[in-house]
Amino acid sequence: MAAIILEGKPLAERLRNEIAEQTAAFTARTGVTPCLAAVLVGDDPASQVYVRNKQKACEKAGIRSQMHHLSAATTTSELLGLIARLNGDASVHGILVQLPLPKGCNEKQVLDAVTPLKDVDAFHPENVGLLMQGRPRFLPCTPHGCLQFLLSAGVETRGAEVVIVGRSDIVGKPLAAMLIQKGRGGDATVTVCHSRTRDLAQVTRRADILVVAIGRPQFVTGAMVKPGATVIDVGINRVDGRLVGDVDFDSAAAVAGAITPVPGGVGLLTVTMLLKNTLTAAELQTAG
Ligand code: GUN
């Protein structure tokens, strides 16, 4: 049985149209246009593409964007100066520091400096804490994108065995926190696997829903997938000039019930949920 392909494009388009409508209504009501400030340090070509895509998506949704492109030689203290300026600028509602930062920059210190109300990535400890307690201010963009696939495809999370491969602060940990919350899109039994997990395939084969975010090209194969499972591939890797996910698509699709493609899958939803968070940030910062 061939898997259903969970295409990101139509889902992202539908959600972006909804966000654009909500943004237009917000701007009409308040006179405020939401604004995202993107901070890009260095010349990593992939990061440049990601930030450009985020800016283009903002424009289409009626959200203003600023680009702050700094040289790879930028110091942590210079970066902290820029973040302080953006924190204090009332016309900026969301601040996104594109990762990874160059080796010389103290990533934790920089991310912690973003004021929590403008932290549209939901990386700040205050926002992580609120998420853990089931009262999120912002849902982190990539985990929220994964969840949108499950909700739109009608995949039941309640009581489901979910296995997440990868324990990153950006995807694995927050997604696990979201899936164990009570209510819609939650109530799952979640296992988080990582490089020290014993007999990984035995664990992944238990999953009704398998999410892979490990940053290794085509790492999960069909032999690691339970027949009929839903597979969400968060990875984006360039191999011989071609983009591939963390899942070996062909072998996994032959076993899974549904699977997200790369490209054209989770990445589009990550950008979409950033738009949502930027609108939420503007709402939170606008009196009345
Ligand atoms: N680099 C890779 N993923 C992300 C993300 O979700 N947010 C930011 N700011 N940088 C990233």
Side-chain angles (χ1 to χ4, degrees):
M1 187 191 71
I4 294 167
I5 312 294
L6 302 174
E7 297 286 357
K9 202 167 169 195
L11 176 58
E13 213 165 87
R14 175 168 69 74
L15 294 172
R16 288 182 195 191
N17 286 338
E18 284 174 19
I19 295 163
E21 278 174 23
Q22 292 161 0
T23 302
F26 169 77
T27 300
R29 190 171 71 246
T30 62
V32 174
T33 303
C35 175
L36 174 72
V39 178
L40 175 63
V41 188
D43 299 308
D44 178 59
S47 289
Q48 289 185 30
V49 171
Y50 294 148
V51 171
R52 211 175 310 129
N53 286 344
K54 289 168 184 177
Q55 287 197 286
K56 275 193 214 156
C58 279
E59 232 172 80
K60 282 193 180 165
I63 294 172
R64 284 196 305 120
S65 73
Q66 301 177 356
M67 166 73 137
H68 300 268
H69 193 173
L70 309 176
S71 94
T74 304
T75 63
T76 300
S77 100
E78 286 167 336
L79 211 39
L80 291 174
L82 171 61
I83 301 289
R85 278 211 310 284
L86 296 173
N87 281 343
D89 183 342
S91 72
V92 169
H93 304 99
I95 301 171
L96 174 132
V97 181
Q98 185 65 31
L99 302 179
L101 288 174
K103 282 195 172 51
C105 291
N106 184 330
E107 201 162 279
K108 276 243 160 4
Q109 204 182 347
V110 170
L111 294 180
D112 286 0
V114 174
T115 188
L117 280 176
K118 297 188 180 184
D119 171 36
V120 286
D121 263 321
F123 289 163
H124 191 282
E126 181 177 311
N127 288 322
V128 175
L130 289 170
L131 176 71
M132 287 303 296
Q133 291 189 350
R135 46 182 185 137
R137 177 184 281 139
F138 302 112
L139 289 174
C141 303
T142 301
H144 196 187
C146 294
L147 198 56
Q148 290 296 342
F149 275 106
L150 300 176
L151 293 171
S152 76
V155 177
E156 182 58 82
T157 57
R158 192 197 320 163
E161 283 263 7
V162 179
V163 174
I164 301 170
V165 183
R167 57 177 158 186
S168 69
D169 291 337
I170 298 184
V171 186
K173 285 186 205 167
L175 180 59
M178 288 160 64
L179 287 164
I180 60 170
Q181 302 294 342
K182 290 183 180 170
R184 184 167 181 262
D187 292 323
T189 303
V190 180
T191 304
V192 181
C193 299
H194 45 77
S195 55
R196 302 298 163 117
T197 297
R198 236 185 298 137
D199 200 348
L200 179 67
Q202 195 181 31
V203 183
T204 58
R205 275 197 300 266
R206 286 208 311 257
D208 303 312
I209 299 167
L210 179 60
V211 183
V212 189
I214 192 143
R216 290 167 70 169
Q218 298 169 313
F219 178 77
V220 165
T221 61
M224 301 165 76
V225 175
K226 174 176 166 175
T230 301
V231 179
I232 308 286
D233 187 352
V234 179
I236 303 179
N237 311 281
R238 192 168 285 278
V239 175
D240 300 330
R242 195 167 67 93
L243 289 183
V244 298
D246 290 355
V247 175
D248 177 44
F249 184 85
D250 291 344
S251 68
V255 182
I259 185 168
T260 61
V262 178
V266 173
L268 293 170
L269 271 296
T270 297
V271 177
T272 305
M273 300 340 286
L274 175 69
L275 304 177
K276 175 81 185 158
N277 283 351
T278 305
L279 172 59
T280 301
E283 288 169 344
L284 291 171
Q285 288 160 61
T286 304

